Amino acid sequence: MRKEKKATALLKILCYSKGYEGKTMNYKNTIRGIFKDRPNRFIAHVQIGDQLETVHVKNTGRCRELLVPEAEVILEKSDNPARKTKYDLISVNKEGRWINMDSQAPNKAAEEWVAAGNLFPEKVTVRREKTYGNSRFDLYVESGKRKAFIEVKGVTLEENNIVRFPDAPTERGIKHLCELMHAAADGYEAYLLLVIQMKGVRYFEPNRETHPEFGETLKAAADAGVHILAYDCVVTEDSMKICDPIPVRL
């Protein structure tokens, strides 16, 4: 209880005072551990006290710069007794900064953030997984005045306080950008919302070294009227909340 109150107070100081509303995405039954290794994309070995546990990794990306041996991690204990793994790995401490690496967290946080009125001033209806063309976008937002598609991407790759996406080539990401351009051409509002799963970064840029085509397509999408937005998050041991906009450099 004391930890939850402390996290809530921190979020109020950093976000609520700046006018950002919406619920905080919370985790239950969290515990610290020490990362040891990752045999495959889906599981990792984590030391919890004197016990070595096999845990589920809630991010199938590479995350090589995060999941390094002896890194401190946060786990959430599952309440499903039938599961093969007791814990989900949700966050990692990188050089004193907590980074949320739960791939499901950005969509949940974005839905709450948009529904709370942080993107559009009027009351809106938010729907998940709306199909347009050959893609299914994360969010569809509608009001009496507008109709908008929003694709959400979580960003965990950081170096020298600069964040980049993607951390591996993503043909799916390019497909989504192309469909957003088509939606914009058809009169919809189109957004790529980059949820930076950490605080204290300087700016976002596409990872052209890893996937040059994504960077080129991102620039083309912006030129075609797709809004490219990046927001950082306050990350605590048991929560994540979208907070401040950060610059996007294309």
Side-chain angles (χ1 to χ4, degrees), residues 41-81:
R41 293 188 304 160
F42 305 103
I43 63 170
H45 294 137
V46 174
Q47 191 79 32
I48 306 174
D50 58 359
Q51 186 73 30
L52 186 65
E53 291 277 353
T54 298
V55 307
H56 175 237
V57 180
K58 298 191 75 174
N59 190 320
T60 57
R62 294 176 178 175
C63 304
R64 291 172 181 168
E65 78 290 348
L66 296 177
L67 294 179
V68 297
E70 304 306 311
E72 190 174 27
V73 296
I74 298 295
L75 309 169
E76 180 181 41
K77 188 174 183 179
S78 173
D79 56 6
N80 179 4

Side-chain angles (χ1 to χ4, degrees), residues 70-142:
E70 304 306 311
E72 190 174 27
V73 296
I74 298 295
L75 309 169
E76 180 181 41
K77 188 174 183 179
S78 173
D79 56 6
N80 179 4
R83 269 186 42 163
K84 291 183 178 180
T85 54
K86 295 180 183 178
Y87 299 94
D88 292 312
L89 195 160
I90 55 174
S91 298
V92 59
N93 191 318
K94 182 186 178 187
E95 300 174 356
R97 167 166 48 198
W98 286 113
I99 298 176
N100 181 291
M101 53 176 292
D102 177 357
S103 61
Q104 298 174 6
N107 283 18
K108 293 178 182 178
E111 181 183 15
E112 295 175 351
W113 183 79
V114 173
N118 292 296
L119 189 59
F120 305 123
E122 70 271 18
K123 185 176 180 180
V124 295
T125 299
V126 183
R127 293 170 54 189
R128 290 187 182 184
E129 301 292 325
K130 173 75 171 178
T131 298
Y132 173 84
N134 295 316
S135 290
R136 183 178 296 168
F137 291 116
D138 293 316
L139 301 175
Y140 174 70
V141 182
E142 188 173 279

Side-chain angles (χ1 to χ4, degrees), residues 187-214:
Y188 293 92
E189 293 183 54
Y191 294 81
L192 177 68
L193 177 58
L194 299 151
V195 177
I196 315 303
Q197 293 170 256
M198 68 195 83
K199 202 79 177 72
V201 300
R202 293 164 54 199
Y203 60 86
F204 166 87
E205 65 181 14
N207 192 354
R208 286 190 168 85
E209 182 177 346
T210 295
H211 198 178
E213 188 180 356
F214 179 85

